[in-house]
Each structure stands twice: as C-alpha cells, then as structure tokens.
Amino acid sequence: MLINLQDISLFPEKREELAETGANQTFSEAWAKKYLRKLAEQDDLTEVLNRSEIANEIAKTLMQTLRTTSVQAWARTEALLSKEVIRHQIDPKLIDPWAVTKDAHHIYQTALSAYAQQIPPPKFSTWIAADLGKIRQKYMADDPRVIGFISMQFHYSGQMLLNLTPPTQQPLLSAYFKVIDDHLYMPLQRAYQAAAQHAYNAPALKAVQQLLPLCSEIATKIVERVTELYPAYHCYTGRLSDTNIKISSIRDTEMFQVYLWVCVLENNISAVQQELFPLCVMLYPKLKVRWELVRQLIHLLGAEIRSRLEPQQAAYFVPYYESLWGMFSPQVFPDSTF
C-alpha cells in the first residue's frame, strides 16, 4: 500500500511541504517502499519493541547524550578531515562546526522522537526528507565537497548513539539512522526533482524506476562479492566483513547507483563530476579505501545494470557509466594490487 502524504496526521505542519504529484510522487513513494520491504524482514525485531515504553525509555536516555555525542562526533570528523581543508583548498568559512553540530542535534532529536513514537522508518523517511534535503543543499551550495564533513559528522553521531543502545534494540534504531545517512550521502532530492521533469511514461524514468526497488539488493550483492574477492582487506576502521563496514559499504554502493540515476534523469554527467567524484577523492584516501576496490564496485555495478534491464533500457546508463569508469580508471588512479 502506498503512503498517502496527505494522511500524515502526526505532522500536520508538513503536509503542504510534502505534497507531491506525478513522476516525483511515484519516485519518492518507490524509495519509501524499499524501506517497507527491508522492515518486513525484521518482524521479530519489531516484536521486541512492541511495547512503546521500551522505545520511549531508550530514546529519553539517548536524547540526554545528544549534545555530548554531537560535539564528540565533530571532534572525530575534524581529526579525520581537517588536513583535507588545506589539501583541497576548501574555504574554512564554509564549514561552521557550531552550525553543523546544531543541525545534527536537531535531526537526531527528531529521529529519536519518531523512534519513541514507533513511527515506521518509511513514514519517517517521507517526513524528514525535505529537512535533510535542505541541509544537504545548504552545505553544498558553494562547494559540494563540504557535504563530506557534514555526512561524516552525522554518521559518527549515529554510530555513537547506537553504541549507547542495548544490542537487541540496535537493528531497528539503526533503520532510522540509515534514513538520515541515505538522504545526506545520496542526491535523493535532486533525483526526485529530476524525475518530476519527465512525463509519467518517459522511457528513461521507467528504466530508473525498474532499478530503484532493487537498489539495496544490488548493493548487498556487490559488497558481498567484493568482500569475497578481498577477504583480508582492511580499511580505516576494520575489515570489509565487519558489520559497520559492511553497512557503510552498502550505503556507498547505493550512493553510486543514485548518482547514476540522477545522470540518466538529468541527461548529463554533472552530478558525478561536481559531487560524487570530488567527494570520493577527499574521503576515500582518508578512509583507506583503495581505488582498486572502487573500480571493482563500479565493474560489478555495470554487470548488475546490464543483467537487470532490457538492452534498450540499459542504453540510457551506458554513457554515464563509461564516464564514471573513466574517472576512476587505473590511468587516473594507478593502484598496486592487493
């Protein structure tokens, strides 16, 4: 059953802001349905949290730590990326730590409130998408690379909050935090806006819509294959097979897919050139992600696209996929073998 945005009575002040029509609504609803399918696989975990007092108690405790975790998350982000400001000649005035921590505090407070009220993650995703889209747009307006600092701040905040959560409650709470990560790392609002420019039955839109519900499945398959190929590989925080690394890897693989969708829907490569590529160049070396690993991801993604679409549909992706491969090719980033 599709979510009717006009029926979200819990947040009436958001109704007008969330109203969508045509291709835009279809696209955003399809993304929300992806979360429903994922949540359906966690019925046993949902049963654990059926009693709202448990979620309320956990949310109350975590909210009391928000100020501290936001500050600590920024300290970790700065330790990881402060040298990149100089190296990439990013204007430091564009990165206001107080504004960033304030935004993170607000978003995670909202997420914990939704979790305490047992609002399903898909509905939370629909409601919070506009706010996260504005945050992403605000920080990317002058220099898209700034989103690297913002996304790491939010990511570390979520990880710290999860570490303070009882293990049995972590999987469901992490579903809310994944919504936040997705909307900050991925150009979802840009994809929605691009989709809205197409006719409902436009072939390019149909090709993207066919891949959209398969996004997580494709990403998981690719990450599992890469983990098999490089079982001893260590990145910044651990092995590829470690749970947190696997979650981040799947998110990144989903991110690559969404950027390709945007390219197809906008009919140009600018999203990859101006956003994805600079972000990867800044973050991946610091996170000890080898370019050979990125190329393997891109190679497997191309194979998945070809196998999931009819040739005439896959043709819409070919020029952008080839450009993506060229940007990360050995000629650009020579890499020794593992």
Side-chain angles (χ1 to χ4, degrees):
M1 179 178 179
L2 293 178
I3 299 171
N4 186 343
L5 301 184
Q6 300 300 322
D7 290 340
I8 302 179
S9 57
L10 290 169
F11 306 103
E13 69 280 6
K14 294 285 184 178
R15 287 178 179 170
E16 183 176 349
E17 185 176 338
L18 289 173
E20 297 177 312
T21 58
N24 191 356
Q25 180 175 351
T26 302
F27 196 93
S28 58
E29 286 178 349
W31 183 262
K33 286 172 68 178
K34 184 174 77 71
Y35 283 96
L36 282 175
R37 284 191 297 275
K38 185 68 175 178
L39 199 63
E41 300 170 2
Q42 300 178 335
D43 285 342
D44 56 329
L45 298 172
T46 304
E47 286 298 319
V48 176
L49 285 176
N50 269 343
R51 294 173 298 172
S52 60
E53 60 268 21
I54 297 177
N56 268 315
E57 190 63 30
I58 292 172
K60 181 180 178 181
T61 300
L62 293 178
M63 282 185 183
Q64 292 172 349
T65 72
L66 268 178
R67 184 181 298 274
T68 301
T69 54
S70 293
V71 172
Q72 291 175 341
W74 180 255
R76 288 188 62 180
T77 301
E78 198 165 41
L80 179 70
L81 297 176
S82 59
K83 293 181 180 178
E84 298 304 297
V85 175
I86 300 172
R87 181 168 175 258
H88 290 270
Q89 298 183 333
I90 299 172
D91 185 353
K93 294 179 181 178
L94 298 177
I95 307 169
D96 181 352
W98 301 110
V100 176
T101 54
K102 180 180 178 181
D103 285 337
H105 184 283
H106 166 69
I107 292 297
Y108 277 100
Q109 187 176 49
T110 305
L112 290 172
S113 178
Y115 162 73
Q117 297 175 62
Q118 298 291 274
I119 297 166
K123 184 172 284 190
F124 168 66
S125 174
T126 303
W127 174 61
I128 202 67
D131 286 346
L132 289 169
K134 288 177 182 177
I135 289 174
R136 179 181 168 90
Q137 185 177 12
K138 175 176 70 174
Y139 289 109
M140 296 184 71
D142 295 312
D143 189 334
R145 295 171 297 180
V146 173
I147 197 62
F149 291 81
I150 312 309
S151 57
M152 291 306 300
Q153 158 74 11
F154 277 73
H155 177 69
Y156 283 143
S157 295
Q159 288 298 308
M160 290 177 180
L161 290 171
L162 283 176
N163 289 338
L164 297 172
T165 304
T168 57
Q169 318 303 330
Q170 290 179 5
L172 186 55
L173 182 57
S174 68
Y176 293 85
F177 294 172
K178 187 180 188 304
V179 170
I180 297 171
D181 266 5
D182 284 357
H183 281 277
L184 284 176
Y185 277 86
M186 304 180 199
L188 289 172
Q189 291 297 313
R190 185 168 177 173
Y192 298 161
Q193 292 166 6
Q197 303 305 310
H198 288 260
Y200 185 79
N201 290 317
L205 179 61
K206 289 294 184 182
V208 172
Q209 287 176 328
Q210 185 162 329
L211 289 177
L212 191 152
L214 305 173
C215 181
S216 294
E217 177 187 327
I218 290 172
T220 300
K221 182 178 178 181
I222 290 173
V223 169
E224 288 176 349
R225 179 55 179 156
V226 171
T227 303
E228 291 174 359
L229 292 171
Y230 307 108
Y233 180 76
H234 277 74
C235 60
Y236 182 70
T237 53
R239 290 178 179 269
L240 292 177
S241 57
D242 292 350
T243 300
N244 287 338
I245 304 299
K246 184 175 181 180
I247 291 172
S248 296
S249 299
I250 291 173
R251 180 205 61 221
D252 281 9
T253 308
E254 290 178 331
M255 176 180 69
F256 271 71
Q257 293 180 70
V258 177
Y259 269 103
L260 281 176
W261 299 347
V262 170
C263 289
V264 171
L265 294 171
E266 292 184 346
N267 196 27
N268 67 66
I269 194 67
S270 66
V272 168
Q273 289 177 329
Q274 298 171 10
E275 295 183 17
L276 179 62
F277 181 76
L279 187 64
C280 293
V281 171
M282 184 175 70
L283 290 182
Y284 282 164
K286 297 299 295 183
L287 296 173
K288 301 189 185 304
V289 176
R290 296 279 293 276
W291 298 117
E292 182 177 339
L293 208 68
V294 177
R295 283 192 288 273
Q296 191 65 251
L297 179 160
I298 296 172
H299 166 71
L300 293 171
L301 177 56
E304 288 295 321
I305 291 173
R306 290 190 296 272
S307 70
R308 308 276 182 154
L309 295 177
E310 295 296 327
Q312 63 269 26
Q313 291 180 310
Y316 287 104
F317 288 84
V318 169
Y320 310 113
Y321 174 81
E322 290 180 346
S323 295
L324 180 65
W325 174 262
M327 290 180 192
F328 292 97
S329 68
Q331 289 72 32
V332 177
F333 295 110
D335 229 359
S336 59
T337 58
F338 288 94

